[in-house]
Amino acid sequence: MNAHFEAKAASNIAFLKYWGKRDGPQQWPANDSFSMTLNALCSTTRAQRNQVGDHRFIFEGQLLTRSDKRFAKTFRQLDHLAEALEVQGALDIESENNFPTGAGIASSASGLAALTLAAVAAWYDTDCWDTLRERGLSRERLAHLARMGSGSAGRSVFGGYVLWKAGDSPEQQSIEPFYPAEHWSLCDSVVLFSTSEKGLGSTEAHAHAWTSPLFRPRLAGLPERLNSMKDAVRERQWDRLGPLLETEALEMHAVIMTATPSHQYLNTAALDFLGELRAARLRGEHSAYFTIDAGPNIHVIYPNEDRERVRNWLNSKYPGSVLHDGVGAGPSLRRL
Ligand code: DP6
């Protein structure tokens, strides 16, 4: 009987967004990005070698085939891993998310990170990070393998605050931990404005970024914003980081809305919420700021010290539609 392995990887929320690629097939981003790995919102994936000849993938109880477009990334990633690692043998994979899939909570980040780790564990027959490292699979190498499945997944291979640097060529990219979770206990509450699958997937939307007249000016300004964000995180300066998060998210959405074809992820309820969050902050009711990924749900970020005030405010306004989380330590791997 082949051993069975389980990987758990949390989603991550980008403070500085990966938006636009210099090269799609090589997953070379247009700019550096910077994120916080979450703790509770995660994908759990189990993998075991099978004798069938092709991979079998069960997502939340449903057996999926290669022709299912929603999970094309999964099968593509398994093929990519087998080729890159020169391993043979098909896998049985079972996976689930503990949050709505495809609704802008970066399910591809946690999903592809967990898939990569579980598949590697099954092929290498180990759940030991040191053994993997000795066999050439350092944490950074694993992050790069995950990035090939979905760019943001690379950052979920590390816990805490993570930097993905674009470098001067696809080969010079790096994914590295900036500070561990203990450095600064920031929280993220995701307010759900739609849990249905988003209309335009991020991979397709990345390709449109270059058509926006705002995209090149954005790229020119990002190094300075990244430095300011890094300083703010290093010094744990919430009053400095918060406004940067909002500017960054709004700029990415401005690029998306001014691209050809134009797209809008935010619905009316989400847009109204942004105004309400700001107004309540200005009235001194909480200290939270927002950021947004490619979807209609809003990530409300705040320091742990203000946790009670922010959560009470959110829960009273949006009972039942808020997922509370915070910075996490990174993925886990175990033999079942
Ligand atoms: C808005 O990682 O989903 O969440 O590499 O094509 O799979 P692919 O894209 P993906 O893009 C994520 C974009 C984002 C911002 C971010 O996480 O940095």
Side-chain angles (χ1 to χ4, degrees):
M1 181 81 169
N2 292 315
H4 210 175
F5 292 89
E6 181 182 89
K8 257 188 207 236
S11 183
N12 69 77
I13 179 67
F15 290 175
L16 198 94
K17 310 293 180 185
Y18 148 50
W19 197 251
K21 308 185 192 197
R22 287 191 198 279
D23 184 287
Q26 298 193 77
Q27 287 287 77
W28 186 25
N31 59 272
D32 298 352
S33 59
F34 181 41
S35 60
M36 174 174 96
T37 297
L38 299 179
N39 184 42
L41 298 177
C42 66
S43 301
T44 302
T45 302
R46 291 167 294 281
Q48 183 176 32
R49 282 175 175 271
N50 72 30
Q51 313 300 334
V52 181
D54 196 8
H55 307 300
R56 288 186 299 203
F57 178 56
I58 297 178
F59 181 72
E60 299 186 345
Q62 197 190 347
L63 178 65
L64 295 157
T65 61
R66 283 181 179 271
S67 59
D68 193 310
K69 267 175 69 193
R70 279 192 324 149
F71 289 87
K73 278 184 179 178
T74 301
F75 288 98
R76 220 181 304 130
Q77 176 68 348
L78 289 170
D79 293 342
H80 168 75
L81 290 171
E83 197 186 317
L85 300 171
E86 297 179 5
V87 288
Q88 274 165 9
L91 300 177
D92 279 344
I93 310 269
E94 258 182 277
S95 184
E96 65 259 346
N97 294 340
N98 63 359
F99 57 87
T101 306
I105 316 180
S107 61
S108 68
S110 57
L112 273 294
L115 175 76
T116 301
L117 295 172
V120 165
W123 273 317
Y124 283 67
D125 194 29
T126 181
D127 60 354
C128 174
W129 297 98
D130 287 340
T131 307
L132 287 173
R133 199 185 54 243
E134 282 156 19
R135 295 176 66 186
L137 289 163
S138 65
R139 190 70 77 120
E140 183 166 11
R141 174 95 202 281
L142 291 167
H144 283 291
L145 289 170
R147 158 178 78 71
M148 291 306 289
S150 181
S152 51
R155 298 186 313 239
S156 271
V157 172
F158 291 99
Y161 301 88
V162 184
L163 265 173
W164 172 17
K165 294 192 197 151
D168 293 330
S169 70
E171 298 72 34
Q172 279 170 20
Q173 299 180 59
S174 68
I175 305 174
E176 55 196 58
F178 182 60
Y179 275 106
E182 308 80 74
H183 173 72
W184 197 9
S185 190
L186 291 181
C187 303
D188 178 4
S189 293
V190 192
V191 187
L192 302 175
F193 289 102
S194 166
T195 51
S196 54
E197 300 254 341
K198 57 192 178 194
L200 176 68
S202 45
T203 305
E204 205 182 324
H206 276 290
H208 302 156
W210 296 95
T211 66
S212 162
L214 305 180
F215 190 57
R216 281 176 175 82
R218 162 176 165 75
L219 293 181
L222 285 181
E224 194 182 322
R225 187 175 298 149
L226 178 59
N227 279 336
S228 303
M229 280 191 182
K230 281 162 64 181
D231 288 347
V233 169
R234 187 180 297 113
E235 306 295 330
R236 302 186 193 91
Q237 291 173 326
W238 179 242
D239 291 346
R240 189 164 174 209
L241 182 63
L244 292 167
L245 297 179
E246 295 196 347
T247 306
E248 169 61 6
L250 293 172
E251 189 176 274
M252 183 186 81
H253 280 266
V255 166
I256 294 167
M257 290 166 88
T258 53
T260 306
S262 162
H263 189 74
Q264 180 172 332
Y265 284 110
L266 295 169
N267 56 29
T268 312
L271 283 166
D272 285 348
F273 172 77
L274 301 185
E276 287 181 36
L277 184 83
R278 182 196 308 253
R281 186 175 62 237
L282 291 173
R283 289 194 301 269
E285 292 173 22
H286 64 74
S287 64
Y289 286 81
F290 65 78
T291 183
I292 322 161
D293 274 346
N297 300 315
I298 309 296
H299 291 251
V300 177
I301 314 288
Y302 48 95
N304 195 40
E305 294 76 54
D306 204 21
R307 186 181 156 123
E308 224 174 284
R309 265 195 331 166
V310 177
R311 292 192 180 182
N312 287 342
W313 186 81
L314 289 172
N315 289 336
S316 66
K317 284 189 97 51
Y318 300 94
S321 48
V322 189
L323 304 170
H324 299 296
D325 204 353
V327 62
S332 65
L333 203 49
R334 67 183 177 121
R335 187 186 292 264
L336 294 175

